[in-house]
Amino acid sequence: QISAASVVLGLPWWACLVAVAIGYSFCGFFIAMFARVGNYYHISFPVATRSSFGVWGSLWPIINRVVMACVWFGVQTSIGGSCVELMLMSIFGTDLDTRIPNKIPVSSNITSFKMLCFFLFWFAQLPLIYCPPHKLRFLFTAKAFICIPAGIAFLIWALVKAPDINNILTAPSTIKGSEFGWVFVGAVMSCLSNLCTLIVNAPDFGRFADSPNASFWTQMISLPVAYTCTCLIGILVSASSEALYGEPFWNPLDVLAKFLDHFSSGSRAGVFFISTAFAVSQLGSNIAANSLSAGTDMTAILPKFINIRRGGFICAAVGFAICPWNLMSSSSRFTTYLSAYSVFLSSIAGVMFCDYFIIKKGYLQVQDLYVADGSSPYYYSHGVNWRAYFAYICGILPNIVGFVGATETHVVPIGATYVYYFSYFTGYAAAASVLLIITLIFPVGGLPDGIGMLEFKF
C-alpha cells in the first residue's frame, strides 16, 4: 500500500521501487543500530530508554510507543477485515455488501458489512493474543509458507490480466521537475514512517540475540531486500490496475476485488485463497509488531497490573475504539497519518541515539537502570532527564508548521512543507544535536571512565 500510494501520486514504477529500496535501507540501518543496546545488554526498550530520559521520564516515550502500537493494531485489523470481505464475497457473491442492510451512517467511512468483517478479523486475533508469545512459532511458520506464494501468484495474475505489460513497464511519469523530486522524497520518507515504531523499540526483539552484533547484518540486508520485493508487488499491481481499469489503485486489495467482477469459478477460488493468505499475513504482523510490542511496553507503565497478555487485550480494545477505517479511506490520509506520528518518534529516536552512542559511548550500568533514587546516575533530577526532554521538544519544533499544513487546516509556507517532507531526519538530527550541546553545557553522570565527552571510542 505504501509503495502503491506513490504510483497513484504519479511516480513511474521504477522510481517507486528505487524510493522503497532507499527508504528501507535507511530503516535497516536504524533498526540495526537501535537493536544493539538490546543485543549487548539484553534489556528491552522501556529499560533502555531510562538511560536517556530518566527512570520516571522514560514513561512518556513508552506511552508514545504504546499509543502507536494500538493505532497500528487497528489499521492492520482494518486491512485484515478487507481480506475477510473478499473471502466472503468470493463465496457468497459480490453483492453481499448490499444484501446485508447498512445501518451505519455513510459519513462513517464504513458499512454494516465492513464492520462485520472488521469484527470477525478482530475477534480471530484474540485467541492468539491469549497464547504465550513463545508458543506462536507455528503462526509465523505458516505465514512464511503461505504468504510468499500468494503474493507472487497475485502479481502474476495481475500482469497476465493487463492488456500490455510493456506499456506498464515503459509508462512515463505523470509528474516532472521539482514535483517529481518531492514526491520521490515523500515515497522514501513513507518507508521510514512505516517502521518508525519498530526502530525505537528494536531492543524489545534484539535483547534475545546471542551476540552484540547479531542484528546488524541480518537487518541491514534482509530488511531492505524483503521489503523491496514485497513492495514490487504493490507497485506493479497498482500500475496494472491503471492499464486494466483506467485508474491506479493504491490498495492492492481493491484490485483483487475487481477480479471478482465476472465471478467465474476460477476467479472466486483465486481471490479466496489469495485473500486468505493475506489475512494470515496481517494476523502474524499484527500480533508480532503491535500486540506483543504494546503488551511488552505496557508492563513498564503499570507492572503490578499489566502483563504482556493483558497489554495485548488492551491494545486490541483501543485498536477497535479509534475507528481505524477512517485512516484507510484514502491514500492521502494514509500517508499523512504515517508521516504525522513519525515527527514525535523520530525525536525520541534522536535523543536515544545521541545518549547511547555519542554521550555514553555504548556504556550502561545496567543495575542502575532499575534503581529509582538518587544513587542511580539515570535518576537525574527527580527521575527525569530535563536535557532529553528539551532536546525532544526541539526535535519536534522544526516539523510542526509543516505538520499543520499536512492536516490541511491551514495554509503554510512552502519552505515549511519541504522541511516536513524530511520529517524523520530533521526531527532525528535536531534532537540528537541539541542533546549533545546541552549535555556538554550541563554534564550528566553514568559516563565511562577515562573517555571524554568528545572522544568517540566505541
Side-chain angles (χ1 to χ4, degrees), residues 97-350:
D97 57 336
T98 58
R99 283 155 48 197
I100 296 177
N102 182 35
K103 304 295 184 181
I104 301 176
V106 177
S107 60
S108 300
N109 290 318
I110 195 169
T111 63
S112 296
F113 172 65
K114 291 179 179 293
M115 178 64 80
L116 170 66
C117 297
F118 179 91
F119 176 78
L120 289 174
F121 188 82
W122 179 85
F123 189 77
Q125 296 175 104
L126 300 185
L128 296 172
I129 295 175
Y130 185 83
C131 287
H134 63 277
K135 292 186 177 180
L136 290 173
R137 185 185 182 96
F138 74 91
L139 174 63
F140 305 109
T141 303
K143 176 182 173 180
F145 281 100
I146 293 172
C147 299
I148 295 174
I152 295 172
F154 183 30
L155 174 61
I156 294 173
W157 194 5
L159 293 177
V160 168
K161 285 176 70 69
D164 191 343
I165 296 177
N166 289 329
N167 287 342
I168 296 172
L169 299 180
T170 58
S173 172
T174 59
I175 52 176
K176 296 181 180 179
S178 62
E179 185 181 4
F180 181 98
W182 286 113
V183 172
F184 183 87
V185 168
V188 172
M189 299 311 298
S190 290
C191 302
L192 278 160
S193 300
N194 179 33
L195 290 188
C196 64
T197 53
L198 291 176
I199 288 173
V200 296
N201 82 307
D204 284 343
F205 302 97
R207 63 192 172 121
F208 298 108
D210 56 6
S211 69
N213 298 315
S215 296
F216 190 77
W217 288 113
T218 53
Q219 299 301 321
M220 286 285 290
I221 296 172
S222 65
L223 199 146
V225 169
Y227 270 93
T228 301
C229 292
T230 303
C231 288
L232 178 62
I233 297 173
I235 291 167
L236 293 181
V237 166
S238 182
S240 299
S241 69
E242 187 168 18
L244 282 167
Y245 308 111
E247 62 173 316
F249 290 91
W250 76 281
N251 187 346
L253 294 178
D254 291 340
V255 182
L256 198 58
K258 283 284 188 180
F259 292 174
L260 283 175
D261 283 351
H262 300 294
F263 209 61
S264 64
S265 58
S267 295
R268 291 168 61 190
V271 170
F272 178 81
F273 286 117
I274 291 174
S275 57
T276 301
F278 287 173
V280 172
S281 173
Q282 288 303 116
L283 202 63
S285 296
N286 222 7
I287 296 298
N290 301 317
S291 175
L292 288 178
S293 294
T296 300
D297 295 342
M298 281 186 198
T299 60
I301 300 174
L302 293 171
K304 275 190 176 182
F305 306 101
I306 300 178
N307 55 25
I308 293 177
R309 179 183 291 166
R310 292 172 184 171
F313 284 121
I314 294 172
C315 175
V318 175
F320 198 136
I322 62 170
C323 304
W325 44 83
N326 290 320
L327 297 171
M328 304 297 295
S329 59
S330 70
S331 61
S332 60
R333 281 194 182 187
F334 181 60
T335 53
T336 299
Y337 149 70
L338 282 177
S339 300
Y341 214 86
S342 70
V343 168
F344 302 96
L345 292 183
S346 65
S347 190
I348 292 173

Side-chain angles (χ1 to χ4, degrees), residues 332-393:
S332 60
R333 281 194 182 187
F334 181 60
T335 53
T336 299
Y337 149 70
L338 282 177
S339 300
Y341 214 86
S342 70
V343 168
F344 302 96
L345 292 183
S346 65
S347 190
I348 292 173
V351 168
M352 292 180 63
F353 174 85
C354 180
D355 177 77
Y356 179 68
F357 284 100
I358 300 177
I359 295 174
K360 297 190 170 75
K361 313 297 188 296
Y363 173 81
L364 296 179
Q365 300 173 27
V366 177
Q367 67 275 13
D368 289 328
L369 293 170
Y370 298 89
V371 178
D373 60 44
S375 64
S376 169
Y378 310 119
Y379 195 68
Y380 299 105
S381 176
H382 304 288
V384 177
N385 183 5
W386 62 268
R387 306 163 191 79
Y389 273 91
F390 183 82
Y392 166 70
I393 294 171

Side-chain angles (χ1 to χ4, degrees), residues 45-64 348 351 372 378-386 388-389 392:
F45 161 69
V47 177
T49 196
R50 294 173 185 173
S51 167
S52 310
F53 288 87
V55 175
W56 300 123
S58 65
L59 293 178
W60 176 247
I62 295 169
I63 291 171
N64 270 259
I348 292 173
V351 168
Y378 310 119
Y379 195 68
Y380 299 105
S381 176
H382 304 288
V384 177
N385 183 5
W386 62 268
Y389 273 91
Y392 166 70

